[in-house]
Structure formats: structure tokens, C-alpha cells
Amino acid sequence: MEGGVPEADMSAFRECLSLSWKNPYVLRLAFSAGIGGLLFGYDTGVISGALLYIRDDFKAVDRKTWLQEAIVSTAIAGAIIGASVGGWMNDKLGRKISILVADTLFLLGSLVMAFAPSPAVLILGRVLVGIGVGMASMASPLYISETSPTRVRGALVSLNSFLITGGQFLSYLINLAFTKAPHPWRWMLGVAAAPAVIQIIFMLTLPESPRWLYRQGKEEEAKQILRKIYDNVEDFNNEIQALKESVDAELKNTEKISMIQLLKTTSVRRGLYAGVGLAFFQQFSGINTVMYYSPSIVQLAGFASNKTALLLSLITSGLNAFGSILSIYFIDKTGRKKLALISLIGVVCTLVLLTVTFRQAEIHSPMVSFDDSMSFRNNTCPDFKTAVNNDKWDCMTCLKASSTCGFCAAPNKLQPGACVISSGSTNDMCAKDHRAWYTRGCPSNFGWIALIGLALYIMFFSPGMGTVPWVVNSEIYPLRYRGVCGGIASTTVWVSNLIVSQSFLTLTEAIGPAWTFLLFGIIAFIGVFFVIVFVPETKGVPIEEVESMLEKRFVQIKFWQKREK
């Protein structure tokens, strides 16, 4: 293994499971901090279902794509602020305080959203939640990484990723549970306050990160915590020695940390290449379009019902959580680099499948019937009435013509239907004839293939690129720079996330979902070569030794060779 650390006698996954009875204290630390990941996941998942019902309560949201994107993406804008401030807060105030502040903001934001009287107040609540999520996105994996034994560090940091996907899965269950409630989106968003309160209670009973305490000169306090983490005396002594050497080297350099200094330090600069690059490709391979807009994508695939869209989205969310469980096993068995590479190759293939599927759905969209459309009289879509060549209109043409028009499908959904104005009375008229109403997508024979493509996409993404960037960024930087560099990487995640989520619906309207998925596929394809060249393998390498590994090699392509004994 690169770094010269011998392979463990048993897989880290099995050793991680054995902690449940050998040293439950370590699991308690990891799980309590990992609730921050649950909050992260719940927020990214819940808005996708809540948005369907927010559109029903606020008609301005239903008619303005940019307002829908704003409700989703303002939380991400808040997360950018949270991640930026979080780097400084983690170094100055500690990992524990950072998590508690994040919980408080999440609690406050959830309550504001639940009682929001207007889209503007709802957006304010989204910003508060976003700041909290941004802080937690770096503080939680950092705390877990610094309170975990070296051999199971990757598996325990993967627990945070599992709780992220578990939070997303939970959000879809909550969304389904409240579909019959009055104003269901208020319940969906308000329930998020519960895990924040639980984590506050748990974290108040736990210690600060021992590595952070040691760096602050509180050596005895740090040693007491590390003795609980390491049952083996030899492992404890090795950890203390490595930590002492790292802190001593840091104290020799009392210069204030600056961006110029970061870039001049070889190991930090190369670590940033890998960590920031992974964060970029994680987001621009399109994962959060699936997480934020999963029900909308299902509707684009031809499933009109809100409840059906939520139910089918629950399947993809469940696969995402299952993939995170797989990552706990594979992250320390296969390695970070190989897992990311396999993941990206699978993502490219599935995005190509989605591109072909959605393109075929567009080509074979049902036609618009002139007589059927005119039978709705004053409710016929005005753009259809005035169009010169409306005999060539199909469902996709109708939906793209105006945001105020929709498609009332024929009883046989693939037969010609009506292009009419979207209103309560029109929807009721369509429903009385047992006809489906479409405003986001069109009836299609290819819908199930699209769902299979989404499921395969999640199954490839989740165990690899869903986890690897967080694990690598929690262990690739020297102690002195860990908070700042982690903040830079987290900020990259959220800036990239903001760009993708703010532009997704606009892109699907402008160029169609097929070419949108192809764009993500091209970026993921470039990511394959990035991982091969720039990302080192940190599996099993003590955090304090990663620095020397990065200093020795710039191009990190030597990862298929056998380990030296």
C-alpha cells in the first residue's frame, strides 16, 4: 500500500462490526456526530417532495421555474456560507461546538419553513437550514475521522455518508406519510427539527475531538479520550507519537495560514487538487438533480401523479441508502481510488442510458388532437389556438409553448390528447373523464426504462462517488490545514451544488432532459481521468503519514500494482 502501512489482518468492515461489542464508545462517537449527515440528507431529500405541494399552495411558484429553483437552491447558497464559515469555526472553536451551532440553525430554519406564510419567508427558512447543513457537512465527517481508529476510519466516515442517504430515504417516507395531511409540505419541512434536537442532546454528552484538543495544548484531556478509543496500548502509543510529531512540526511554523501559503506547501496543494476535484466531479455528475428533483424527473419520465412520483422516488432513495451500506464494506477493502473509478465509469454508462431513453420519449411524444383541445372551449391553450401549424403539435410542444398550459392525455395515454390551460377547473374536467393530467412530462412507453436508468445511476454513484470525496477530504490534509482545506472542499461542493440545482429545471426546459443528462455524462467521463491522475490512495494510511505520501508523488497513477510486503 502506498505510504508503507501493512494491510490489516481482517477487513475493516468486519473489524468495524466487532466494535459494537469490543468498544461501543467509538461507535457512539461516530453515530452521534453522524446525525449531522442525517440532517444533511433529510434536507436534500425532503424538498423534492415538498416542492410538489408548495406549487399547489403558492401558484406563483407553480408558474415560475426560477422560483422553484430558488426554493431549492437558496438552501445551497446558505450551505456555501456555512461551509466557508465552518472551516474557521472548526479550527477556532472546535468540531463539537461547530456541530452544535449547525444543529441550532437547522432547528430554527425548520420552524421558520413550517410556518412560512409566503414564498419569501420559506426561502429565508431554507437559507437558515442551508447554513446549518453547510457547517455540518464538514464538521461531522471531520469529527468522526479524528475520533476513529486508523483501521476503521474509512468505514466509520462512511457511516456519515450512510446517514446522509438514510436521511434522504427517511425524507421520502415522511413525504409519503403526510400526503393526506392539510398543507403537507409544512409537515414535511417541520419534522426536520426532530433530528436536530436529538443531536444537540447527544453532542452535549460527548467530548471534543482529541486531535483538536492536542493541537490546543490540552494533551492530557486528549490522551484520556484516545485511551477510550484505542484499547490496544501499542496502537495508543503509536497514535500519540504520530500526533505529537504532527503538532511539533506545525508549531515550528507559526506563520498565519494564507491561501498563498496553502498553495506553496506541496502536500497541501496536491491534497487540494484531489479533494476539491473530487468534490467538483461529485456534484457535476448530477447526483443532486436526482436528490432535489427526483419526483420531477419521474414526472418527466411520464408518471403524472404526485403520489406515484413520490413512491417511485422512494425506490431510488432506498437504493441510495443501500449503496452507502456497501461503501462501508468496500471503502477500506477496495480502496478510495479504485472505488471512485468504478463508480464514475458506471455513472457515465447510466447517464448515456438516460440520455437515449429521454430522447426516445421526446421523439415518440403523443400528438395533440385539434378537436379534443377545442372541446375545452375557453380553456384551450392560447398558444395552440394561434399556432399556424398546430396540426404538428405533440405533447412536448404543448408543454414547452407556455408554462400556463398542460396536456390532458387520452384514456389510452399514447393516443392524441388535448393541449389546454392549466387551472383547477381544467384539471377537474380532465380527471372526470379518467384522463391523466401532465405539466412536467408526457405519457411514454419508455418511463420504466428511465426509472431503471435512475436506479442503476444511484447504485453506481452511492457506494463510490457518494462516499469517497467525503472520506478523502477528511484524511488528506495535514492537521494544521485540515479545517481550512476542509472548508475549501466543502465550499466547492456547495458552490457546484448550487450551480447544478439552480440550472437543472431551466436546462431541461431549454435543451430537454436528454441533453441535460448527456452533459452530466460528459463531465463524469472527464472525472474518470482526473481520478486516475490526481487522486492518491489513502486506504489504511495514518492521517499523519498522508502528508509525506503527497510530497513524494504528483501524478498518482500507480494504484493497480501489488503491495510490497
Side-chain angles (χ1 to χ4, degrees), residues 104-305:
T104 303
L105 288 168
F106 202 99
L107 174 61
L108 180 62
S110 298
L111 295 176
V112 170
M113 289 189 296
F115 295 99
S118 67
V121 177
L122 177 61
I123 287 172
L124 173 62
R126 293 286 292 162
V127 171
L128 291 173
V129 166
I131 296 174
V133 168
M135 291 181 176
S137 69
M138 64 168 300
S140 292
L142 191 57
Y143 183 91
I144 296 170
S145 176
E146 294 185 345
T147 56
S148 301
T150 300
R151 290 188 178 187
V152 296
R153 187 178 66 228
L156 288 177
V157 175
S158 294
L159 175 64
N160 183 69
S161 295
F162 167 67
L163 287 171
I164 291 174
T165 55
Q168 291 165 344
F169 183 73
L170 176 64
S171 71
Y172 284 109
L173 287 176
I174 296 294
N175 285 347
L176 279 171
F178 286 111
T179 53
K180 299 294 184 181
H183 308 291
W185 63 271
R186 296 186 184 277
W187 293 94
M188 295 171 182
L189 298 175
V191 166
V197 173
I198 292 171
Q199 187 172 40
I200 288 174
I201 295 172
F202 281 5
M203 289 305 298
L204 287 174
T205 64
L206 296 178
E208 181 55 83
S209 159
R211 284 186 172 85
W212 185 84
L213 289 171
Y214 200 99
R215 184 171 179 259
Q216 301 301 311
K218 301 177 181 180
E219 297 180 12
E220 287 305 315
E221 189 175 347
K223 287 179 180 178
Q224 289 178 10
I225 300 168
L226 287 171
R227 285 191 184 96
K228 294 181 180 180
I229 295 172
Y230 288 93
D231 290 334
N232 187 288
V233 176
E234 183 179 354
D235 290 341
F236 168 78
N237 291 333
N238 290 338
E239 181 70 15
I240 291 295
Q241 182 61 31
L243 190 56
K244 182 178 184 302
E245 291 174 359
S246 176
V247 173
D248 288 345
E250 176 187 329
L251 292 176
K252 291 179 182 178
N253 185 2
T254 57
E255 184 180 353
K256 187 177 180 180
I257 296 176
S258 66
M259 183 56 67
I260 295 175
Q261 183 184 0
L262 288 177
L263 296 177
K264 282 184 176 180
T265 307
T266 301
S267 61
V268 177
R269 183 176 66 252
R270 292 175 180 174
L272 281 171
Y273 290 158
V276 171
L278 280 172
F280 173 87
F281 286 108
Q282 181 193 58
Q283 295 303 310
F284 276 94
S285 57
I287 182 58
N288 278 316
T289 62
V290 177
M291 290 300 102
Y292 292 132
Y293 299 110
S294 183
S296 297
I297 294 172
V298 170
Q299 289 183 332
L300 286 171
F303 299 91
S305 165

Side-chain angles (χ1 to χ4, degrees), residues 315-485:
I315 297 173
T316 60
S317 179
L319 289 172
N320 196 23
F322 177 71
S324 295
I325 296 174
L326 291 180
S327 74
I328 297 176
Y329 176 77
F330 285 111
I331 194 75
D332 279 318
K333 185 177 181 64
T334 304
R336 285 71 158 139
K337 182 165 184 168
K338 293 178 186 177
L339 194 56
L341 188 58
I342 294 168
S343 176
L344 277 171
I345 292 172
V347 164
V348 171
C349 294
T350 54
L351 286 172
V352 170
L353 174 62
L354 287 170
T355 299
V356 173
T357 301
F358 275 98
R359 184 59 187 153
Q360 288 300 310
E362 291 173 6
I363 294 172
H364 297 91
S365 176
M367 299 300 294
V368 173
S369 166
F370 179 84
D371 293 337
D372 194 7
S373 299
M374 298 306 291
S375 69
F376 283 81
R377 299 182 181 180
N378 294 333
N379 288 317
T380 304
C381 177
D383 297 83
F384 177 76
K385 283 183 178 180
T386 57
V388 177
N389 58 343
N390 57 20
D391 59 320
K392 296 182 180 179
W393 275 41
D394 60 19
C395 173
M396 294 302 299
T397 311
C398 173
L399 298 186
K400 290 179 179 178
S402 172
S403 61
T404 62
C405 295
F407 184 76
C408 180
N412 180 344
K413 294 180 182 179
L414 298 179
Q415 295 298 314
C419 183
V420 292
I421 295 173
S422 177
S423 66
S425 59
T426 307
N427 295 6
D428 292 340
M429 290 170 64
C430 191
K432 284 180 181 178
D433 293 333
H434 304 288
R435 299 166 68 177
W437 175 251
Y438 292 85
T439 57
R440 293 293 178 270
C442 292
S444 171
N445 275 335
F446 301 93
W448 288 106
I449 301 176
L451 289 179
I452 291 171
L454 281 174
L456 289 173
Y457 172 88
I458 290 292
M459 289 174 69
F460 276 110
F461 184 93
S462 183
M465 287 302 290
T467 299
V468 170
W470 299 109
V471 174
V472 170
N473 274 292
S474 72
E475 61 190 12
I476 201 171
Y477 308 114
L479 181 60
R480 171 175 168 78
Y481 305 99
R482 197 166 298 154
V484 173
C485 291

